[in-house]
């Protein structure tokens, strides 16, 4: 079975968040988007549902955590090269994201990270298995 993942994230400003994620090179599936949500297509199997906070509350129990104040989740995307890691992080910073942790170089792993405008943390990681 080829599973898909739908990451649901609360956002304060849907238009700003859409601009941020499309600035990273991702597209929007308009079929699953409206004035309260946007379906960001990361890949054929990864989708990020951006939901305005009132809509996000329809799907949860309890309160929405403030990702600027505490870690709610750590999201990690794979990259095909070190250059792709650097390009994606640079695009994030150019479109309103903030740096999160310094570059990680550990054995075959090369990664970097950023926060989106709502404080959700994204890591981008390249694993060079030939560099053992």
């Amino acid at each position: 079975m080829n599973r898909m993942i739908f990451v649901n994230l609360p956002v304060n400003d849907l238009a700003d968040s859409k601009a941020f994620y499309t600035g990273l090179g991702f597209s929007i599936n308009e079929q699953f988007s409206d004035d309260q949500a946007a379906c960001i297509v990361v890949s054929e199997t990864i989708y990020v549902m951006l939901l305005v906070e009132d809509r996000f509350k329809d799907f949860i129990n309890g309160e929405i955590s403030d990702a600027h104040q505490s870690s709610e989740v750590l999201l990690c995307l794979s990259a095909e090269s070190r250059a792709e890691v650097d390009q994606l992080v640079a695009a994030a910073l150019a479109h309103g994201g903030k740096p999160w942790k310094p570059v990680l170089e550990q054995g075959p792993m090369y990664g970097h990270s950023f926060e989106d405008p709502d404080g959700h943390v994204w890591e981008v990681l390249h694993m060079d298995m030939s560099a053992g």
Side-chain angles (χ1 to χ4, degrees):
M1 174 181 214
N2 191 17
R3 294 190 189 272
M4 299 167 66
I5 184 167
F6 294 85
V7 177
N8 296 281
L9 297 176
V11 299
N12 290 311
D13 186 315
L14 186 59
D16 282 350
S17 294
K18 286 168 57 174
F20 175 79
Y21 284 96
T22 56
L24 298 181
F26 303 138
S27 62
I28 297 175
N29 181 330
E30 296 294 345
Q31 183 179 2
F32 299 106
S33 301
D34 58 25
D35 63 338
Q36 295 187 25
C39 178
I40 304 299
V41 181
V42 176
S43 74
E44 291 181 13
T45 58
I46 303 170
Y47 299 85
V48 177
M49 292 299 301
L50 304 175
L51 302 159
V52 296
E53 289 187 352
D54 284 343
R55 183 70 177 125
F56 188 83
K57 287 178 183 178
D58 292 338
F59 297 100
I60 65 168
N61 294 327
E63 297 299 315
I64 297 172
S65 66
D66 182 348
H68 292 290
Q69 300 298 318
S70 62
S71 295
E72 56 176 345
V73 66
L74 184 59
L75 304 160
C76 185
L77 289 176
S78 63
E80 292 187 18
S81 67
R82 293 168 66 102
E84 186 182 18
V85 170
D86 295 339
Q87 290 167 349
L88 194 56
V89 172
L93 300 181
H95 288 90
K98 295 180 182 168
W100 195 59
K101 291 221 175 206
V103 170
L104 165 75
E105 292 190 70
Q106 188 174 24
M109 293 188 301
Y110 177 79
H112 206 179
S113 54
F114 59 87
E115 290 183 17
D116 75 5
D118 291 284
H120 307 292
V121 175
W122 289 86
E123 292 183 315
V124 186
L125 184 66
H126 171 64
M127 298 277 288
D128 182 357
M129 299 315 285
S130 67

